[in-house]
Amino acid sequence: LGQFLPPVIFEVTANATQAIATFGKVNTQLKVMEAQAIKTGKALSGFQKAAVVGTGALKVLGVVAAGVAAIGVKSAMDLEKSYNRLGQALSNMGVASEQTRADLSLLMQSYEDLGFGAEKAADAYSVLITSTGNVERSNRLLALSADLARSKTMDLESASRLIARAAAGNTRVFKEFGIVVDNSKDKTVAIEEALSKLEARLGGQASAYAKTFAGQLAVLNEKIGDLFEAIGMKVLPVLTKFI
């Protein structure tokens, strides 16, 4: 996928505005034709009305199709950027094997079932792998980040930053949930105990949220996003020919 796209990609909001304007023109045209028909004493035939509406509909469909393509391309580009950042983070930590990349790609997609987008999960994971340099630990902390995100109604990447700092010794999150870090113990041991207590406190929040009505809407939104991304992946190769 190319890093830059030609000006043919336009804002979907503009498409929506154009579609509304097209519908307005169709209605105006129908009113004018009705008025002319009344003056001449002839009724506007159903075929004439259908022709006007049909022409307008074709214009609107074209606008909608362009809008869908634009959304798809943007979604595909966002996903690509997130995965590229994650790939770079893995490379920087020296854990960028093909198997690791494949496993993490599946892991990122699994977070859609919790109402988080794969690109959001990838961005959060980039934060964690950069902080820990360890895949297994990052997997664990990503799950905890998802629970924290749902508990505090925040985005996954922000939650992952808080968890990364907590795993590195920052006690802010622990204090918020009434968890005391035992400073009489080795710092690493004390932090691990605190993380385990936080997991026990928050465990299951993300899964529970996914079963609520709001959570199901979030999951549905991500599934629809998958469709747009798939469309974008198909459109991008065509558009890059114009570069």
Side-chain angles (χ1 to χ4, degrees):
L1 299 180
Q3 293 182 341
F4 302 96
L5 291 175
V8 68
I9 300 302
F10 40 82
E11 291 296 328
V12 176
T13 51
N15 295 336
T17 300
Q18 185 178 344
I20 293 171
T22 301
F23 275 123
K25 290 179 182 178
V26 170
N27 288 332
T28 299
Q29 191 171 353
L30 279 173
K31 290 179 181 178
V32 171
M33 291 180 70
E34 286 280 16
Q36 291 176 341
I38 291 174
K39 287 182 179 180
T40 58
K42 297 179 181 179
L44 191 63
S45 71
F47 177 78
Q48 287 173 310
K49 289 183 179 180
V52 174
V53 173
T55 300
L58 286 175
K59 292 179 181 179
V60 172
L61 283 175
V63 170
V64 171
V68 169
I71 294 174
V73 168
K74 183 180 185 305
S75 297
M77 291 176 68
D78 288 344
L79 182 64
E80 179 196 17
K81 289 177 182 177
S82 294
Y83 273 33
N84 283 343
R85 282 194 292 268
L86 176 55
Q88 187 60 56
L90 292 171
S91 296
N92 292 342
M93 296 298 107
V95 291
S97 69
E98 288 300 318
Q99 187 59 52
T100 297
R101 288 174 180 267
D103 291 343
L104 289 183
S105 179
L106 292 175
L107 179 63
M108 299 305 101
Q109 292 172 25
S110 73
Y111 273 77
E112 292 183 351
D113 292 331
L114 296 175
F116 299 108
E119 72 280 1
K120 296 181 181 67
D123 288 337
Y125 200 92
S126 296
V127 171
L128 296 170
I129 196 68
T130 299
S131 176
T132 68
N134 183 282
V135 172
E136 291 184 2
R137 186 168 177 76
S138 294
N139 291 352
R140 173 194 176 191
L141 296 181
L142 182 62
L144 181 54
S145 297
D147 287 329
L148 178 64
R150 291 313 186 199
S151 175
K152 294 178 67 65
T153 315
M154 62 194 306
D155 65 89
L156 185 57
E157 184 177 353
S158 295
S160 72
R161 293 187 184 281
L162 290 176
I163 292 300
R165 286 196 287 269
N170 188 301
T171 62
R172 172 185 168 186
V173 172
F174 300 134
K175 290 179 180 178
E176 287 184 14
F177 289 92
I179 297 172
V180 178
V181 176
D182 190 346
N183 294 320
S184 67
K185 296 182 179 180
D186 176 79
K187 182 178 180 180
T188 300
V189 173
I191 291 298
E192 282 303 307
E193 288 183 353
L195 283 173
S196 294
K197 291 178 181 178
L198 187 61
E199 287 173 322
R201 183 72 58 84
L202 300 178
Q205 290 282 333
S207 295
Y209 177 82
K211 295 176 183 177
T212 65
F213 179 69
Q216 286 297 300
L217 287 179
V219 173
L220 177 61
N221 182 62
E222 295 305 330
K223 298 301 181 184
I224 293 175
D226 283 348
L227 175 60
F228 282 125
E229 286 167 4
I231 293 173
M233 291 297 184
K234 295 293 184 181
V235 173
L236 271 176
V238 177
L239 293 178
T240 52
K241 294 179 181 179
F242 294 95
I243 299 176

